[in-house]
Amino acid sequence: MRLKIKPSSAGLMVCVGLLLLIWLTRLIGIDHFPPFIDEMIHVHGSELGYTVSPLVNADLGRQGTIWWMMLFQAHLGSPVWIARVATVLALLPGMAALMATARLFAGYWAAVLAGLLFLFSNYHLFFGRLALADPIAGSAVLVAIYFAARLSKRRSHFDALMVGILLTAGVVAKINVAPFLGVPIAAVLCLRQKKNARFNHRDTENTEEFRDKIRGRVIWLAVALGTAGILIGVFVLGLRFFGYDFVTNSVSYALTNRGNAPISGMVDSARIIGNIQASFDLLGGYLGVMTVILLLIAQAVLIFRRQFYVVLCLFGPMVAIWASLIQESRFLVVPVALLLLGGAVVLAGLVRDRNRVVQAAAVAVIGLWAAAQWLPFAITEVRQPNETPLPAVDVAQYINSDAAGTGYPEVRDFLAAYDVREVIGLVSNCQAFRYLTMSSYSVDCPALNPNGSSIPGLVELMNQKQGRDVFVLLQKIPYVPEAVPGKLLTVIERPGGGPSISIYQLSAG
């Protein structure tokens, strides 16, 4: 007797398998890429959460991410590995939600295709493996988008409540996802239960039923937005009570670059058009230009079919992101996922009712795309992380800049030949070096003020800690002392001509 497996069961098993594959591929060599400064801010913030207060660094607007890191106590051992694995773990519900949303709109074929596209997305491979707030906040937003999408099948106050709670979780993890608070509005405007899609307004009974439906949807929207508004308000005011401002730092950064630019710059059409072009170039660098064009065509197809929900969830928040004075590649975790979602829904509509040859061909095309652009990217990131083929803007930030972690492994290897008791890190990303070497010796990371006001104190610190077993790392940046009272041992050059790191031994001259 042959065991028959229902198509839905088979689809579910494939989706679960894809989630496991996404998990496993993200874990391979996850700690090889040099730690970026924002990652270390989160790990250090979680450490201070235990040693000082769980509210420390709340002004950064990412407190939920720091609390998530606290659960794993990354600072107690292998901080980079643990923090990044915790981030991948947080991202998995978002990936499951992405596939579930695709299934709602176009069946299991769409779910599988969405999973495959995400699996082979170089953008998400890179940013999803870093201990940043964006994938953590983005995951909560993607789950909220799924619960809101269920409005196409039913109207449930539980779904609305979950949308509000999840959007709150996203904002608490990183306030930058606030533009996605419009997700429930997009759902109410764009989603209709098919069986009630049309009404005869001349019929009194149907007109009354129509009014009830509208009233019910307004209540659903009020529950979703009200829940988010109340929870976010309580959170922000609660931090205010303890003397922390969760909002101002991030909002002023986006609106005025912390006062360094007029707010009118947000409506500068030339700058916004430039940001749109930069986004296209960025995604073309990760996914391939032709892939991005095809995904944009898929959004146009959805519009033609009057399937506006995914498109509005994607481009509505992107208007706010493009208008922001600060443009960062990592801000696009959710928009790129929605771009892939739209592509999966359209492609599924083309192949799900075709013969197996056409279906196999669609999967084969995705496999060829993966072999051509994803596999080389993934192998290089693991084996030669400093050579990871990122777009130029991200090479400059994550590999070459003083905020990058490049150079610190070489410093660690050089100092292995010395008897080291303490290292004073006069470098931008000092916590990265501290966490890379925390089991070997003490690393002092004094505060560095970009205006140079901390320089006298740094000179005094070095004078106080004279000793042959005390070393200083001095990065070539403008807000550290120009000279060190000790012997220069070597200079570690960094990729792309980034600020070099000089290693000094105090009282060795």
Side-chain angles (χ1 to χ4, degrees):
M1 180 178 179
R2 296 179 61 184
L3 179 64
K4 293 184 178 181
I5 300 177
K6 294 181 180 180
S8 59
S9 299
L12 179 60
M13 287 189 290
V14 172
C15 289
V16 171
L18 281 171
L19 280 175
L20 291 174
L21 196 55
I22 290 170
W23 165 255
L24 292 174
T25 55
R26 270 49 178 177
L27 292 185
I28 298 172
I30 195 171
D31 59 346
H32 290 189
F33 191 84
F36 183 62
I37 191 169
D38 280 33
E39 297 183 90
M40 299 301 96
I41 288 174
H42 300 149
V43 176
H44 189 225
S46 69
E47 179 181 1
L48 295 176
Y50 281 102
T51 59
V52 180
S53 165
L55 300 182
V56 169
N57 287 326
D59 294 341
L60 294 178
R62 318 173 202 168
Q63 201 60 19
T65 295
I66 291 175
W67 287 342
W68 176 253
M69 295 298 175
M70 285 180 65
L71 295 177
F72 299 88
Q73 302 184 59
H75 63 281
L76 296 182
S78 301
V80 176
W81 189 89
I82 292 175
R84 289 179 176 176
V85 171
T87 303
V88 176
L89 187 63
L91 187 56
L92 285 178
M95 295 312 95
L98 187 75
M99 288 189 280
T101 305
R103 184 188 66 81
L104 278 176
F105 294 139
Y108 273 108
W109 258 106
V112 170
L113 292 173
L116 284 172
L117 290 175
F118 184 89
L119 171 63
F120 298 128
S121 165
N122 287 343
Y123 176 90
H124 292 104
L125 177 67
F126 179 68
F127 287 106
R129 284 158 52 93
L130 299 181
L132 298 170
D134 303 87
I136 296 173
S139 182
V141 171
L142 287 171
V143 181
I145 288 171
Y146 163 71
F147 274 100
R150 284 160 57 140
L151 190 58
S152 64
K153 304 296 182 181
R154 68 180 194 181
R155 189 178 71 244
S156 165
H157 291 164
F158 171 79
D159 289 346
L161 186 67
M162 289 302 299
V163 170
I165 292 172
L166 288 160
L167 289 175
T168 300
V171 170
V172 170
K174 191 173 185 182
I175 195 173
N176 298 53
V177 300
F180 289 95
L181 288 171
V183 163
I185 299 176
V188 167
L189 291 177
C190 303
L191 300 177
R192 297 287 186 275
Q193 292 88 2
K194 291 183 179 179
K195 62 181 180 180
N196 296 317
R198 295 181 180 178
F199 295 93
N200 181 359
H201 297 295
R202 295 179 180 178
D203 187 283
T204 305
E205 181 180 349
N206 281 348
T207 300
E208 189 62 33
E209 183 181 357
F210 177 77
R211 290 173 179 170
D212 288 341
K213 295 295 182 183
I214 294 297
R215 189 180 302 112
R217 295 173 78 82
V218 170
I219 294 172
W220 187 96
L221 179 62
V223 172
L225 290 180
T227 300
I230 291 171
L231 293 178
I232 293 172
V234 169
F235 176 74
V236 171
L237 293 176
L239 289 179
R240 274 285 194 180
F241 178 79
F242 290 101
Y244 294 95
D245 184 350
F246 182 76
V247 175
T248 301
N249 180 64
S250 296
V251 172
S252 67
Y253 193 43
L255 299 184
T256 65
N257 192 12
R258 298 199 179 103
N260 295 320
I263 194 171
S264 59
M266 291 192 67
V267 294
D268 182 344
S269 60
R271 187 185 63 80
I272 293 174
I273 292 172
N275 289 341
I276 295 173
Q277 179 64 52
S279 297
F280 180 86
D281 294 340
L282 175 80
L283 297 185
Y286 278 108
L287 305 177
V289 173
M290 183 54 64
T291 302
V292 176
I293 291 174
L294 291 174
L295 291 173
L296 290 174
I297 291 174
Q299 308 306 310
V301 171
L302 290 177
I303 294 173
F304 179 77
R305 293 177 178 174
R306 303 177 64 85
Q307 296 174 305
F308 300 120
Y309 177 65
V310 173
V311 179
L312 192 54
C313 285
L314 166 58
F315 289 106
M318 281 304 299
V319 172
I321 293 173
W322 283 325
S324 171
L325 296 186
I326 303 301
Q327 301 293 305
E328 296 284 4
S329 305
R330 56 185 177 269
F331 292 172
L332 305 182
V333 169
V334 175
V336 178
L338 293 176
L339 197 62
L340 299 175
L341 172 62
V345 169
V346 171
L347 183 57
L350 295 175
V351 304
R352 65 182 175 182
D353 296 325
R354 302 295 183 90
N355 59 49
R356 293 185 178 181
V357 174
V358 174
Q359 295 171 345
V363 175
V365 168
I366 295 177
L368 290 174
W369 173 65
Q373 58 88 40
W374 178 80
L375 193 59
F377 185 98
I379 291 174
T380 304
E381 186 179 7
V382 171
R383 294 184 176 178
Q384 297 173 295
N386 291 357
E387 303 297 326
T388 303
L390 305 175
V393 64
D394 286 344
V395 169
Q397 184 170 20
Y398 294 95
I399 296 178
N400 297 346
S401 77
D402 61 313
T406 47
Y408 298 119
E410 291 80 1
V411 172
R412 177 191 58 194
D413 295 342
F414 179 85
L415 289 177
Y418 291 82
D419 182 17
V420 182
R421 174 174 58 86
E422 183 177 3
V423 173
I424 301 173
L426 306 185
V427 293
S428 297
N429 194 3
C430 181
Q431 293 298 335
F433 184 74
R434 174 172 169 256
Y435 286 124
L436 287 173
T437 60
M438 61 186 307
S439 62
S440 302
Y441 38 76
S442 172
V443 177
D444 186 358
C445 293
L448 306 180
N449 196 319
N451 64 17
S453 62
S454 56
I455 290 178
L458 299 175
V459 173
E460 180 62 24
L461 175 66
M462 290 187 288
N463 289 330
Q464 291 176 355
K465 293 195 173 184
Q466 293 285 341
R468 296 185 63 86
D469 54 0
V470 179
F471 296 75
V472 174
L473 308 184
L474 185 72
Q475 195 165 37
K476 194 175 181 180
I477 49 181
Y479 43 91
V480 297
E482 294 183 358
V484 173
K487 178 183 178 181
L488 175 63
L489 299 179
T490 191
V491 177
I492 303 296
E493 300 295 341
R494 299 178 60 254
S500 59
I501 302 174
S502 300
I503 305 177
Y504 289 86
Q505 185 177 20
L506 295 184
S507 296

